[in-house]
Amino acid sequence: DIEKFEALSSFVSVLEGDGSSENGAVIIDTVSNFLIDELDASGESQRLPSIDLAAFCITKLWEAARASEENKDSIMYSNGLDAIIQGMFVYAREDAGIQERGCGALWSLAVHPQNRSPIALAGGCHRVVDAMSNHISSERVQIMGLGAIKAFSGDRDGRASLESRGTLKVIVRAMKSNMKNYTIQLEGCSIISNLAIDSNTNQISMATNEEINAIVAAMKTHSARPELQKKALSALKNYSFSESNIETISKCSDAKRMIIWASKQYHEDCGEDAKIVLDQLNQFQQQKNDRSSSSLPNLHDNGPKVDEGENEAYEQLLVSLRLGSDDEIINNIINIMFERPLSDKIQDSGLQNIWYLLLKNDENKELVAGSSRALDVIMTSMNERSTPNDKKHINIQEDGCNIISNLASAGATNRLRLIHHQNNLCIEALNNAIENFIAVESVQVAALAACRVLLVEEDFLSLAKGTDGLRLMALSMRVHQTSSQIQREGKSIMMKLHSRLSSRRLLDKNEDPDVEEIGALLESLSISR
């Protein structure tokens, strides 16, 4: 093997040193036929050629493919393609270097669309997917493999071959294992986007939780990279045209937040796709809410409230969103909401856009939490629209709870401002949201999340006990026993409550009936202390 390797290497070096463009085809034929002959002979001797020899041949084919268009044609119409694919197959597990160069060579060849189908039919896609699966710890193999898969994913035969090999599972695994590698995350999102819709049949693929979670995790980890946000949203958009996929996206706890954030942060790149996904999510949630509340009567129907200047004020609100700094926009929104308290449209849009702005930075949270007028407008909007089971106001309740949660997450000062504002207006808003929209899962999740953040403060614990808040939280858990999000939020709250009340009793050396009450509540909800 050593003598053969040295002879082959010397011959190729002479041809490369000559500098003639015609020698490219000679080198391709030489290394291709040499490797195939050695692999064929190994079947009889049951001894593989040396890894160095195989790596040399595949490296030369990779270099040739990158060097010129003529070389690509020579590889495709000689034994070059077979040599790459056979070499990758034989050394599938033994050497990451061979797999890296093999993936690189196939990627270079697949740059030409007419080459993709022949490569796929020859087994090239399978070799790339197997290389990534077998060498998950090699970033170079993952990058080269993703580059090749991205090219194949736009071809009919390439797509079919990739799907038959479980490609998406391998890509998700690569993304999970290399979270900080920007290229792997970017190319992973791009391929998922390509495979989400079959452009030949217009069929939408079924998304799994793993794929959606991988996309959202990439968005969170690389939030400063607009190109990745754009690719990730493209993938979510392509999936979103299927109702079952929208349901899967809705179950990812950070998906909606990241979509909104990317839309605001990179509106030019991401705004259009984000709007499509958010519209689909809102439509799905509305249909779900309709089903949940269709059998429940509206107990407080006082007739429609009319605001004659609503449309003009709404246009003014939309214009204000595009003008000025964040603090000016927030103040404009609050002023318009204050002036038009009867307009559901303005209140809904106002709360939604305040939430978007809070997601951008802590300065915006400080501005809103530090404004008594802003808190008045937000809490009043929620409390005035808390008619039990009124599906028109579900978004207002959900956005209001999300605002409270975001404000409270910015520190103790903000939490205390919320807790003590205007005779506990915030506590009243949360209690109303839980009690009057008890059948609406999205409102319950948002309200319980806000309660969990506020519970850090002792003052909130006292008020929750005194305003029937504890009973309402437990009621939410009982009504939504199949909701993993509500159970997770509720259990976290109940465990914190029990721990804090128990500690207080030990310090005061007094019996506290609330400890027993919470303990009984935990038992009734089957929660271990």
Side-chain angles (χ1 to χ4, degrees):
D1 279 352
I2 294 176
E3 292 178 358
K4 291 179 181 178
F5 179 39
E6 290 178 348
L8 176 65
S9 177
S10 297
F11 180 67
V12 170
S13 294
V14 170
L15 292 174
E16 290 175 334
D18 182 75
S20 172
S21 59
E22 297 179 357
N23 287 343
V26 178
I27 293 173
I28 289 168
D29 281 337
T30 300
V31 297
S32 299
N33 292 330
F34 191 93
L35 180 57
I36 288 176
D37 289 344
E38 289 297 306
L39 291 174
D40 288 344
S42 70
E44 299 176 4
S45 65
Q46 296 184 343
R47 186 175 65 85
L48 291 175
S50 74
I51 288 178
D52 289 340
L53 189 152
F56 174 82
C57 293
I58 291 179
T59 299
K60 291 303 169 182
L61 291 170
W62 178 29
E63 292 173 350
R66 297 171 65 191
S68 72
E69 305 306 308
E70 292 79 9
N71 286 350
K72 288 182 174 66
D73 290 339
S74 295
I75 293 172
M76 290 299 299
Y77 297 111
S78 69
N79 286 330
L81 179 60
D82 287 341
I84 295 168
I85 291 175
Q86 287 187 39
M88 292 179 71
F89 176 75
V90 170
Y91 297 96
R93 297 181 183 276
E94 283 79 3
D95 188 75
I98 288 177
Q99 302 305 313
E100 175 196 335
R101 294 156 203 159
C103 289
L106 294 178
W107 182 5
S108 293
L109 296 173
V111 167
H112 286 181
Q114 69 269 21
N115 291 342
R116 294 168 188 170
S117 180
I119 294 173
L121 295 174
C125 292
H126 287 188
R127 298 287 71 78
V128 173
V129 175
D130 288 352
M132 292 180 63
S133 180
N134 292 330
H135 300 278
I136 194 70
S137 62
S138 169
E139 290 189 354
R140 294 294 303 169
V141 171
Q142 303 305 310
I143 291 171
M144 292 296 175
L146 288 169
I149 289 173
K150 184 178 179 180
F152 293 129
S153 64
D155 177 79
R156 183 193 298 268
D157 293 322
R159 181 189 180 95
S161 183
L162 292 172
E163 289 177 343
S164 71
R165 206 65 168 183
T167 299
L168 284 176
K169 289 184 179 180
V170 175
I171 290 173
V172 167
R173 185 180 170 211
M175 293 174 71
K176 285 183 177 179
S177 300
N178 300 276
M179 283 302 306
K180 294 184 178 180
N181 188 301
Y182 169 69
T183 301
I184 290 175
Q185 300 303 314
L186 176 68
E187 296 304 314
C189 288
S190 183
I191 293 168
I192 293 173
S193 177
N194 289 349
L195 295 178
I197 293 183
D198 187 340
S199 58
N200 297 305
T201 63
N202 288 327
Q203 290 186 331
I204 302 168
S205 301
M206 183 77 71
T208 66
N209 292 330
E210 287 73 19
E211 288 144 26
I212 301 303
N213 288 337
I215 294 169
V216 174
M219 294 176 72
K220 292 169 65 178
T221 304
H222 299 276
S223 58
R225 309 297 289 267
E227 182 63 22
L228 185 141
Q229 302 296 316
K230 182 177 179 180
K231 294 295 184 183
L233 277 168
S234 174
L236 293 174
K237 178 200 70 175
N238 288 345
Y239 274 136
S240 73
F241 297 111
S242 160
E243 184 174 350
S244 63
N245 288 344
I246 276 292
E247 183 173 8
T248 302
I249 294 172
S250 71
K251 291 178 180 177
C252 178
S253 58
D254 289 325
K256 188 173 183 179
R257 178 176 66 85
M258 288 307 303
I259 294 167
I260 293 170
W261 182 88
S263 174
K264 290 294 180 181
Q265 194 75 7
Y266 308 109
H267 186 74
E268 185 174 344
D269 291 323
C270 303
E272 186 175 343
D273 285 351
K275 183 179 185 304
I276 291 172
V277 182
L278 289 171
D279 285 348
Q280 298 280 18
L281 283 169
N282 290 336
Q283 182 179 354
F284 170 79
Q285 187 62 54
Q286 188 65 55
Q287 292 172 348
K288 186 176 179 181
N289 293 339
D290 288 346
R291 291 192 293 268
S292 298
S293 60
S294 60
S295 61
L296 297 173
N298 189 333
L299 302 179
H300 298 276
D301 188 0
N302 297 320
K305 297 178 181 179
V306 179
D307 184 340
E308 295 180 354
E310 179 181 57
N311 290 334
E312 182 181 348
Y314 184 68
E315 289 299 322
Q316 182 185 352
L317 175 62
L318 295 181
V319 170
S320 73
L321 297 176
R322 299 190 293 269
L323 301 175
S325 59
D326 282 358
D327 58 339
E328 291 173 326
I329 293 172
I330 290 171
N331 286 328
N332 285 335
I333 293 172
I334 294 299
N335 288 336
I336 294 171
M337 290 177 68
F338 178 80
E339 293 166 0
R340 297 288 172 178
L342 299 181
S343 170
D344 288 346
K345 183 194 292 188
I346 288 173
Q347 299 299 313
D348 191 351
S349 179
L351 290 178
Q352 187 177 65
N353 282 287
I354 290 172
W355 180 34
Y356 292 167
L357 289 162
L358 295 182
L359 293 172
K360 289 181 66 175
N361 55 59
D362 285 345
E363 288 76 13
N364 289 345
K365 295 175 185 176
E366 179 64 26
L367 176 66
V368 174
S371 167
S372 179
R373 178 174 177 147
L375 294 182
D376 277 346
V377 167
I378 293 166
M379 304 311 163
T380 301
S381 181
M382 292 177 67
N383 287 327
E384 289 295 319
R385 289 165 176 80
S386 59
T387 301
N389 308 309
D390 189 344
K391 60 186 179 184
K392 297 193 303 296
H393 297 145
I394 287 172
N395 288 339
I396 287 178
Q397 296 300 319
E398 183 178 350
D399 290 340
C401 291
N402 284 327
I403 288 171
I404 294 172
S405 181
N406 271 272
L407 293 175
S409 68
T413 301
N414 282 358
R415 287 191 289 272
L416 292 173
R417 285 168 172 167
L418 287 164
I419 291 167
H420 295 294
H421 178 72
Q422 291 286 11
N423 296 319
N424 313 322
L425 205 58
C426 172
I427 310 297
E428 179 185 348
L430 290 174
N431 286 351
N432 284 337
I434 296 174
E435 182 171 28
N436 296 332
F437 294 84
I438 192 67
V440 184
E441 181 178 353
S442 61
V443 174
Q444 300 302 304
V445 171
L448 290 178
C451 291
R452 173 177 51 78
V453 180
L454 289 168
L455 186 59
V456 173
E457 304 301 329
E458 182 74 19
D459 292 4
F460 179 76
L461 173 57
S462 301
L463 289 170
K465 287 164 51 186
T467 59
D468 214 20
L470 303 187
R471 179 189 64 81
L472 293 174
M473 295 178 208
L475 177 62
S476 178
M477 294 180 69
R478 289 196 180 99
V479 170
H480 297 276
Q481 294 184 25
T482 60
S483 170
S484 59
Q485 286 182 284
I486 288 177
Q487 294 303 309
R488 182 170 60 250
E489 295 287 1
K491 287 179 181 179
S492 176
I493 289 169
M494 293 301 166
M495 293 296 289
K496 285 182 180 179
L497 283 170
H498 189 270
S499 175
R500 298 192 69 166
L501 288 171
S502 297
S503 299
R504 179 193 294 174
R505 181 171 65 175
L506 288 173
L507 289 172
D508 293 345
K509 299 185 183 307
N510 292 320
E511 292 295 323
D512 188 339
D514 289 309
V515 177
E516 305 306 327
E517 180 184 344
I518 296 297
L521 198 55
L522 291 169
E523 295 292 345
S524 69
L525 293 169
S526 300
I527 301 173
S528 171
R529 301 187 200 179

